[in-house]
Amino acid sequence: DCLERVISKFADDKAKCERLVELLLQYDEKSRQAEYIFFKSDVEESLPDEEAVQWAALEAKLQGGGDVFHRLGAITACIAVHSKVCHEHILRKLRQLKSGMCLVTTAVEEFMSVLDDQSDQKIKLQSYLDKL
């Protein structure tokens, strides 16, 4: 019921799909910038090993916009999978902005990487990737 209403709101208004894509790109840029700033800083040198560095970089990325990027990617994937009209609007806007559906799949894959393997959310996200 709720999902159908949300999908119909996006399907009925192309501008909503376009804005979703714009936000996805905006937060992708923010998260990449935060990760870049982390690696340019001296923090990396004070950490004990490579694993600690990777976790700290992920934390910086998430705090810098990556969390929102992942969630926007999940929403975009859900809408694209459940509505052919939305899928077309999203793809058209991605192409217009010189990007592609790989941006959505990257966001979802990164999101899945921080979830528990058996979580319902991870299983649902995988089903979206399989259908994209």
Side-chain angles (χ1 to χ4, degrees):
D1 298 333
C2 293
L3 179 60
E4 290 174 15
R5 284 199 326 254
V6 170
I7 300 298
S8 70
K9 287 190 181 289
F10 278 89
D12 293 343
D13 187 356
K14 179 174 103 171
K16 283 183 175 50
C17 290
E18 291 178 351
R19 182 66 179 138
L20 183 60
V21 170
E22 290 166 358
L23 287 170
L24 183 65
L25 284 161
Q26 177 183 342
Y27 279 93
D28 175 44
E29 180 63 32
K30 283 183 177 190
S31 69
R32 288 175 191 266
Q33 185 67 26
E35 186 179 42
Y36 175 78
I37 289 169
F38 169 81
F39 282 114
K40 292 279 287 181
S41 73
D42 295 335
V43 174
E44 183 179 0
E45 295 169 11
S46 67
L47 297 171
D49 57 28
E50 183 61 28
E51 184 177 1
V53 169
Q54 293 305 316
W55 281 110
L58 176 62
E59 180 67 22
K61 187 174 184 176
L62 291 174
Q63 287 183 356
D67 185 53
V68 176
F69 170 63
H70 295 154
R71 293 176 193 282
L72 289 169
I75 293 166
T76 306
C78 175
I79 291 169
V81 163
H82 286 93
S83 168
K84 185 175 182 174
V85 169
C86 290
H87 188 278
E88 291 170 0
H89 290 320
I90 290 166
L91 195 54
R92 189 175 308 115
K93 186 65 176 181
L94 284 166
R95 286 181 181 150
Q96 178 187 2
L97 297 173
K98 303 206 182 338
S99 189
M101 198 56 81
C102 65
L103 180 68
V104 178
T105 59
T106 297
V108 173
E109 287 169 349
E110 286 181 11
F111 192 10
M112 289 173 57
S113 74
V114 298
L115 297 174
D116 181 46
D117 285 338
Q118 299 305 316
S119 74
D120 292 341
Q121 192 174 25
K122 188 169 190 171
I123 293 167
K124 180 60 85 178
L125 290 172
Q126 184 59 56
S127 75
Y128 295 156
L129 287 179
D130 294 342
K131 294 173 186 172
L132 281 178

